[in-house]
Amino acid sequence: MDNNFRYPGEFEKVSDVFMTWLPNYVSSPEYDSRETCIAIIKVLVGKAKLHINCASDESFDECQNMLKKAKIDTSQITFTRFNDTNFYVRDNGPSVMNDGHEHYRVINPGWSYYGVWDPNSASCKIARQAGVHMAVSLNIFDIVNSPLISEGGDREFNGAGVMMCIEGTEVDKRNPKYTKKEVEEEYKRIYNVKKIIWLPKPIVEDDDYRNGPLEVKKDGTPVFGASFASHIDEMCRFIDKDKILLAEVTEEEATKSEAAKETKNRLDAAYKILKNSTDTNGNYFKIYRMPVAAPVEYVLKPNDLDYDLFKSFLKENNYKFFDGTPWPNGPVHFYAAAGYCNFLICNSVVVGQRYYHTGMSDIVKEKDELAKRTLEECFPGRKVTMVDALPLNLSGGGVHCWTKEVVSAEK
């Protein structure tokens, strides 16, 4: 491997941003997730070269019509037509390294649709190929393959030789056939990093929803999470080569539910590791804290679009969750995959997530405002725009999930 290549930080100069247009069936009953996508695009137009992949003729036509209706200049966007079975390009999209001299390389790890499908299945191969096709569309032909299963949302880089990821995801869930040492050695090889900071577990709300309910209400109604990603970008981000932003659950919030209590325990464990971690020069990182989002509950009914999608991932377990809880008859209650750490950094702007809708608790509005102030503190000189991410979160994604930046080799 050529050691001149490095994986840059997302806070560096971005040349391109990739996105995948969501088909109309990836949506919740009351919210159209593509409206959030349009809001993201509006912020990014003119800030970098935008690429939107439409995996079908129907998606392409729909995308064109919705963008034009939103008065977005589509001439500034490159539309591609690569076949892809994944909707969140962060995870299977092009992971591009550079050598600082306009030479680029794409890393192509294995893909298993978040540990659900066989990596050798046709669907997984298609998703894996899509990321390579996107890189080739930028004239990047230097491809490094790896047998390890991994998604972009669980990899954070400081651009100076340090990578962060979640051990419970990268080793236990995605690569159980490998030891932690073997996984670490492979990541150091393909990403040319000197150090890996291993955080133990994801926040509970982003853990595998198939584990079982996050909580059971007093009337016996179970409430489930809306994700099985278990990614670091829902809880911890590099915001500069020497700065880290970590989510935080307060002592008071931890008393509200068992899920909040467990998430606090996991974030506290992560903080202990991070405060004792150093960069490749032995310097400690400065750690900022970000509030977690207030729980946003929603209900899927049997005829709703996402209902069958969530249910389908339990088929091999006889439609039971891993703790033995059966898939409920009738409506199913979920908490949206909400969070403020799932933001995108793109040159002069930061695109964050907000949640308040009329009728919601004032706590939601207060948290939105605090999250924006936190991002403004972390990114002085950049404009912070908070978009209504709830529609996208209801389908298990987010702003960062739906986008994949390529950092320029130019200084």
Side-chain angles (χ1 to χ4, degrees):
M1 291 285 286
D2 186 344
N3 288 328
N4 292 325
F5 283 86
R6 70 181 181 93
Y7 205 103
E10 296 180 31
F11 41 81
E12 299 180 45
K13 183 180 178 181
V14 172
S15 60
D16 301 79
V17 178
F18 284 86
M19 296 160 274
T20 296
W21 190 253
L22 298 176
N24 59 13
Y25 59 81
V26 182
S27 190
S28 62
E30 299 177 10
Y31 301 97
D32 188 339
S33 55
R34 295 163 302 176
E35 293 297 333
T36 301
C37 299
I38 289 171
I40 296 169
I41 294 168
K42 282 184 175 180
V43 179
L44 296 180
V45 168
K47 305 300 188 299
K49 297 176 184 177
L50 304 186
H51 306 254
I52 301 179
N53 189 49
C54 303
S56 69
D57 292 340
E58 182 182 7
S59 288
F60 177 77
D61 293 340
E62 197 169 62
C63 177
Q64 291 280 322
N65 291 334
M66 292 188 74
L67 293 184
K68 289 176 181 177
K69 185 177 180 180
K71 302 186 185 310
I72 293 173
D73 183 1
T74 56
S75 68
Q76 297 191 54
I77 301 171
T78 297
F79 295 90
T80 54
R81 308 292 295 275
F82 307 127
N83 192 9
D84 195 353
T85 55
N86 190 48
F87 310 128
Y88 300 114
V89 73
R90 169 66 47 186
D91 298 325
N92 70 312
S95 295
V96 177
M97 301 174 68
N98 71 69
D99 69 350
H101 298 286
E102 299 188 16
H103 297 130
Y104 296 89
R105 166 178 293 164
V106 63
I107 307 302
N108 182 34
W111 177 256
S112 66
Y113 198 76
Y114 310 97
V116 175
W117 296 338
D118 181 347
N120 294 312
S121 67
S123 293
C124 286
K125 289 180 179 179
I126 288 170
R128 188 179 185 185
Q129 290 166 3
V132 174
H133 289 321
M134 293 175 194
V136 170
S137 75
L138 296 180
N139 294 317
I140 300 172
F141 301 99
D142 184 354
I143 303 167
V144 175
N145 298 305
S146 175
L148 293 187
I149 306 298
S150 182
E151 300 102 34
D154 198 43
R155 301 189 298 266
E156 282 284 312
F157 299 87
N158 80 333
V162 182
M163 172 182 169
M164 287 194 301
C165 55
I166 294 177
E167 180 176 346
T169 304
E170 296 300 300
V171 181
D172 302 336
K173 294 181 179 180
R174 303 295 191 264
N175 299 289
K177 294 181 180 180
Y178 295 90
T179 65
K180 177 182 175 181
K181 181 180 179 181
E182 289 172 330
V183 173
E184 178 160 331
E185 288 177 349
E186 177 67 353
Y187 284 160
K188 286 181 176 178
R189 179 186 76 87
I190 61 178
Y191 295 115
N192 193 27
V193 292
K194 304 300 180 185
K195 299 183 69 172
I196 295 181
I197 300 173
W198 292 97
L199 303 185
K201 295 180 179 181
I203 58 174
V204 172
E205 294 82 358
D206 188 50
D207 211 333
D208 194 331
Y209 79 94
R210 297 173 300 170
N211 288 336
L214 293 179
E215 68 176 17
V216 179
K217 294 184 174 184
K218 292 181 180 179
D219 63 1
T221 301
V223 185
F224 303 92
S227 174
F228 44 37
S230 304
H231 285 170
I232 198 168
D233 66 358
E234 290 287 351
M235 58 179 274
C236 187
R237 303 284 303 278
F238 273 120
I239 55 175
D240 209 332
K241 65 180 182 180
D242 58 352
K243 298 181 177 67
I244 295 172
L245 180 60
L246 177 68
E248 181 177 38
V249 175
T250 66
E251 294 286 350
E252 180 182 359
E253 288 170 335
T255 66
K256 302 297 183 181
S257 70
E258 287 300 314
K261 181 180 178 181
E262 177 59 21
T263 286
K264 177 174 172 54
N265 289 339
R266 296 184 182 192
L267 290 172
D268 288 349
Y271 177 75
K272 289 179 182 178
I273 292 171
L274 293 172
K275 75 175 183 179
N276 292 306
S277 298
T278 60
D279 63 17
T280 56
N281 295 316
N283 300 312
Y284 291 100
F285 295 99
K286 182 175 182 180
I287 302 173
Y288 296 76
R289 303 306 296 266
M290 173 69 87
V292 294
V296 179
E297 184 179 346
Y298 69 106
V299 180
L300 286 179
K301 301 179 181 64
N303 292 327
D304 295 334
L305 294 177
D306 274 353
Y307 185 94
D308 288 337
L309 182 65
F310 279 103
K311 185 178 180 180
S312 68
F313 295 122
L314 296 171
K315 182 178 180 179
E316 292 186 2
N317 203 40
N318 295 318
Y319 298 108
K320 290 183 179 180
F321 293 85
F322 296 159
D323 70 344
T325 301
W327 178 264
N329 292 322
V332 184
H333 293 244
F334 291 91
Y335 284 133
Y340 297 115
C341 284
N342 201 269
F343 54 84
L344 175 70
I345 314 164
C346 184
N347 298 324
S348 62
V349 299
V350 177
V351 187
Q353 304 192 142
R354 61 175 173 81
Y355 297 101
Y356 183 77
H357 284 244
T358 302
M360 288 185 175
S361 165
D362 286 342
I363 294 175
V364 179
K365 182 185 293 186
E366 292 166 4
K367 280 181 170 283
D368 284 353
E369 293 170 351
L370 177 56
K372 183 178 182 181
R373 291 197 300 271
T374 301
L375 289 175
E376 289 171 339
E377 178 186 358
C378 291
F379 298 102
R382 303 187 201 233
K383 182 179 180 180
V384 175
T385 299
M386 309 293 276
V387 301
D388 179 9
L390 183 56
L392 195 56
N393 290 169
L394 293 176
S395 296
V399 170
H400 195 244
C401 306
W402 191 66
T403 54
K404 186 66 172 277
E405 76 293 322
V406 173
V407 170
S408 173
E410 300 175 5
K411 300 298 183 182

